[in-house]
Amino acid sequence: MGKTKKQRRDPKAELAALITEYKKLAPEQRAAVAAQVKAPMRVHLAQAEQGMLMDRSPGQMASVLTDGIELQAPHLDLIDKLYARIADGEQIKAMIEMPPRHGKSQRASRWGPLWFLRRRPLLRVMLASYGSELADDHGRWVRDQIAEHTDALGITLHPGSRAASRFDLVPPPKSGVRGGMVTAGVGGSLNGKGFNLGIVDDPFKGSDDAGSPAQRDRVWEWYRSVFFTRRAPQASIIIINTRWHEDDLCGRLLEQNPDGWERINLPAVAFAENDALGRPPGAALWPSRYDEAALAEIRAEVGERIWWALYQQQPRPMEGGVWKWSWISDHRITPQQLLGIILTRVVVFVDPSGGDVLRDEVGLVAAGRDAAGELYVIADRSAKMGAEQWGREACLLAIEQAADAIGVESNFGGDMARQVIAQAWAQLEREGLTRGMLRPRLIDVFAKQGKRLRAEPIAQLYHLGRVHHVGEHVSLEGQMVTWMAGMDSPDRMDAAVHALTELADPSGNTGPGIGTYTRGPLPGRR
């Protein structure tokens, strides 16, 4: 009987069971076990430790397989975490927006899919790029890594399916399900193929490609009718992009369903308070490779339009007929520079929406003036808001900036505007948020002139270098440079024009029914 049992032993199964139990131990317990076992078992335990390390993230796996050569950085950690969530079964639609030469494709289109297949070898990855050659390059790289590191990865290429554009993995025993990867060019056919993880990496070849309306339509239709229809139940999608154009694939998807997508938006130089990595404005994304000085040199070489599209992930449209980009960018100052400037007046202006709260934005802009007559656009808090919300936000912005006046375009209704502001201010007083300020004066603006007649004098001040944007106001600036006479005037731009018109008249007398008043330096601002 004992001999029969001995013959039935399965050393491989016993070793696998031991390794499984070993992996459940705490790190200090594993170290103690490894110190006690004999050399052959220590080899198996070392391999188990290596596998556990590789399981953590694509970056950890890359470091193991390249002996530490593959670089890691905080922005790449965000991509790793995204893949970890997908491998754990979470259904995600995500956009990765990063500048060139910062490792996005290497991590998200190569190491990421390789790591995903190691973790989920029964599932399928589909990757598409602007051309089949580039997509196949990514597939070939993943395939070759599996062939080279089969033992370490624990997955094996199927002998009958090893093409760069499509390869399968050997299924586990008693399973007919094959995981694997398929690649294709954007616009190509994907009939008979599906995915659990779909990746679109740079759907446009470059600026000319993205600038073509016909090509943008072609990519959009391919995504909707070909790529998206190949997803399996609970599939995840990752789109990797440099934002060449505001109406690119990411732009259209965000316009259609802005709340349905997670965004890893990583500009080369931080400029927003809600930076994904918590960087202060002006900080570089990967300073060990491209520090602030190197990025400033790149910006000077490529120009503002390419800089904002490729490096800042904020594509800016072509110029229209009134404002020019250089009039804004050449005279911009930083928030730190504003600290050294004494503002004699600060106003907040509101341009209410036309009534459709779901579609139209409320323009809400703060601007200031110094003793020399220089003008400053300080803040743009425009958003889709109802009257109660914009009243509160206007008052909060006035408190934040110690404004002496709140202006409202009174085509909206002067009495109603006063009531909205008065009620919002009273509520903030009850909440103890007014900081002891008296309510700023309310200025009614009656827009009797045509929009071009109102806008052109302010545009001329920009041309003369007398208007300075404090920091970046991407949406407002985009509206300015694309607006032409005869077009509907966007609310952000209208609010800014009204504020700057008020400040440009040193007497404060900007129209009928508006009183004249002046003010000295604002207390408590510095």
Side-chain angles (χ1 to χ4, degrees), residues 116-436:
F116 178 81
L117 290 174
R118 166 182 160 80
R119 286 283 308 274
R120 304 297 295 272
L122 298 181
L123 301 186
R124 300 201 65 82
V125 176
M126 179 179 290
L127 185 146
S129 191
Y130 61 79
S132 59
E133 183 177 348
L134 177 59
D136 290 350
D137 281 346
H138 291 315
R140 183 178 296 105
W141 186 94
V142 174
R143 181 202 64 186
D144 291 349
Q145 293 299 313
I146 295 173
E148 182 179 351
H149 302 288
T150 294
D151 292 339
L153 293 171
I155 52 179
T156 305
L157 292 170
H158 193 282
S161 178
R162 290 177 171 238
S165 61
R166 178 167 185 166
F167 60 82
D168 295 342
L169 303 178
V170 172
K174 299 180 181 180
S175 173
V177 178
R178 293 185 188 178
M181 184 172 181
V182 60
T183 65
V186 168
S189 173
L190 293 169
N191 292 335
K193 303 169 185 176
F195 65 81
N196 305 98
L197 170 59
I199 304 166
V200 180
D201 185 353
D202 277 338
F204 298 98
K205 186 174 183 179
S207 179
D208 291 344
D209 201 25
S212 165
Q215 181 64 8
R216 294 199 302 273
D217 289 344
R218 174 176 170 270
V219 170
W220 176 241
E221 288 305 317
W222 173 88
Y223 173 84
R224 293 196 303 170
S225 63
V226 179
F227 183 82
F228 189 75
T229 61
R230 306 314 304 165
R231 72 198 191 286
Q234 301 302 308
S236 291
I237 296 175
I238 297 175
I239 297 179
I240 307 160
N241 225 18
T242 47
R243 299 295 311 277
W244 280 107
H245 196 280
E246 68 274 11
D247 185 41
D248 59 13
L249 180 57
C250 285
R252 290 202 187 184
L253 288 169
L254 292 172
E255 178 69 22
Q256 181 186 73
N257 184 19
D259 297 327
W261 290 87
E262 293 188 26
R263 297 180 69 185
I264 301 178
N265 186 284
L266 297 166
V269 176
F271 65 89
E273 294 179 357
N274 60 342
D275 182 73
L277 293 173
R279 295 174 293 164
L285 179 60
W286 202 351
S288 62
R289 296 198 69 190
Y290 300 98
D291 61 15
E292 288 83 355
L295 292 171
E297 183 179 355
I298 290 173
R299 182 174 185 172
E301 287 292 331
V302 302
E304 288 297 295
R305 180 170 168 77
I306 293 177
W307 168 258
W308 280 99
L310 261 67
Y311 288 86
Q312 295 298 88
Q313 310 312 307
Q314 295 286 339
R316 295 189 164 194
M318 297 299 289
E319 294 176 342
V322 179
W323 272 270
K324 305 297 180 186
W325 279 121
S326 60
W327 300 355
I328 299 171
S329 60
D330 289 354
H331 307 289
R332 193 187 309 278
I333 67 170
T334 66
Q336 291 74 22
Q337 288 174 305
L338 183 66
L339 295 175
I341 297 170
I342 297 176
L343 299 179
T344 59
R345 290 198 63 200
V346 173
V347 298
V348 168
F349 260 76
V350 185
D351 184 33
S353 65
D356 189 342
V357 177
L358 296 178
R359 287 184 51 197
D360 297 339
E361 285 187 322
V362 172
L364 178 56
V365 172
R369 172 193 171 99
D370 65 17
E374 298 293 292
L375 306 179
Y376 304 86
V377 176
I378 302 170
D380 173 21
R381 302 289 169 78
S382 306
K384 296 176 181 178
M385 299 181 279
E388 181 178 350
Q389 186 181 0
W390 70 247
R392 181 180 179 87
E393 293 300 320
C395 291
L396 285 172
L397 183 56
I399 294 166
E400 175 189 315
Q401 299 297 333
D404 56 83
I406 299 175
V408 182
E409 182 172 329
S410 292
N411 296 41
F412 170 78
D415 292 338
M416 186 179 294
R418 291 187 186 89
Q419 184 178 1
V420 168
I421 296 296
Q423 290 176 346
W425 192 271
Q427 179 60 35
L428 292 173
E429 283 185 324
R430 289 191 290 271
E431 296 175 20
L433 298 177
T434 56
R435 303 178 185 175

Side-chain angles (χ1 to χ4, degrees), residues 461-481:
L461 292 177
Y462 275 84
H463 190 198
L464 295 173
R466 289 189 51 203
V467 183
H468 312 273
H469 284 205
V470 182
E472 313 286 351
H473 307 296
V474 176
S475 296
L476 169 62
E477 293 165 10
Q479 289 182 356
M480 285 180 163
V481 299

